[in-house]
Amino acid sequence: MTAPDDTLLLIEDLTVSYGAVEAVRGIDLTVRRGEIVTLLGANGAGKSSTLNAIVGLAPRKARRMEFSGSDLQGVPPETVVRRGLTLVPEGRRVFSSLTVDENLMLGGAKHATRGDPAAVKADMLERFPILAERLHQNAGSLSGGEQQMLAIARALMSSPDLLLLDEPSLGLAPQVVDQIFDLIGSLRERGLTILLVEQNVAQSLEIADRGYVLANGRIELQGSAEELRASPEIQDAYLGA
Ligand SMILES: Nc1ncnc2c1ncn2[C@@H]1O[C@H](COP(=O)(O)OP(=O)(O)O)[C@@H](O)[C@H]1O
Ligand SMILES: [Mg+2]
């Protein structure tokens, strides 16, 4: 199989095993430049394992795993970031006892090869005024939504081409969830490509171009967002029709 030119992420036959536990069982997945692709599925389906495996944070085996045409297999996480692929992990994981500023600089400083950290930070503070206001506060004092903004802003400090988001709306109040989805849409408008893991199926399919549904480590369903929204499986299992 040859990848079309606009394929940014190409995965064939990816397996993730933790000892005897096979969390992901031979999945194929592609993300094209400029797309928002959503990876849906219940708790324990293997969504985080997939994202973690892509960036080198989970044990993985694949027939092909390529980003921007270069092989990702055996590439350590910090190199993956330098190549332009950054993960915002599940549960936000900002450094609570560090300030907003310090958190941002940690995202940029380590990966300074992709642009000037000060310039990227200035851009980030313009884009996230709430973080500019709270720049010298400890990250732990921010609300859940603000911490998620910070986690995303920190990831953007490495100027990625592809952003992997692991359940960014988890545990947030509905209007904050709306803000996060608005933000994701605006990031795409600025040219970012996004692979979005969510349990919030309705909102994800509103914003995504395509999607995959994972169940027990396998791709159960895939298609355009429109096709998925209309599918009886999705309607029954996730949209409460
Ligand atoms: N570090 C780990 N060690 C052992 N099992 C794990 C580990 N991480 C995840 N799993 C298992 O792998 C499966 C998929 O988990 P995960 O990828 O976190 O699913 P999801 O993100 O879709 O909720 C689950 O059965 C989970 O218990
Ligand atoms: Mg998960």
Side-chain angles (χ1 to χ4, degrees), residues 48 90 166-167:
S48 296
E90 190 178 305
D166 197 347
E167 301 215 33

Side-chain angles (χ1 to χ4, degrees), residues 36 38 40 188 200-213 221-241:
I36 297 180
T38 185
L40 305 168
R188 185 253 290 274
N200 193 329
V201 173
Q203 267 171 301
S204 299
L205 289 177
E206 258 169 48
I207 196 175
D209 301 293
R210 291 188 301 117
Y212 296 86
V213 180
L221 212 58
Q222 61 180 297
S224 68
E226 207 174 331
E227 286 164 349
L228 290 177
R229 268 199 304 264
S231 87
E233 291 95 328
I234 294 275
Q235 291 278 336
D236 292 347
Y238 302 103
L239 298 177

Side-chain angles (χ1 to χ4, degrees), residues 107-125:
K110 268 201 321 209
H111 317 295
T113 48
R114 287 182 70 83
D116 168 22
V120 181
K121 188 174 89 176
D123 177 40
M124 218 51 65
L125 295 181

Side-chain angles (χ1 to χ4, degrees), residues 66-89:
E66 294 169 10
F67 174 65
S68 233
S70 72
D71 195 0
L72 281 177
Q73 298 199 69
V75 178
E78 58 282 6
T79 308
V80 172
V81 173
R82 269 199 292 275
R83 289 192 188 169
L85 204 175
T86 303
L87 168 69
V88 180

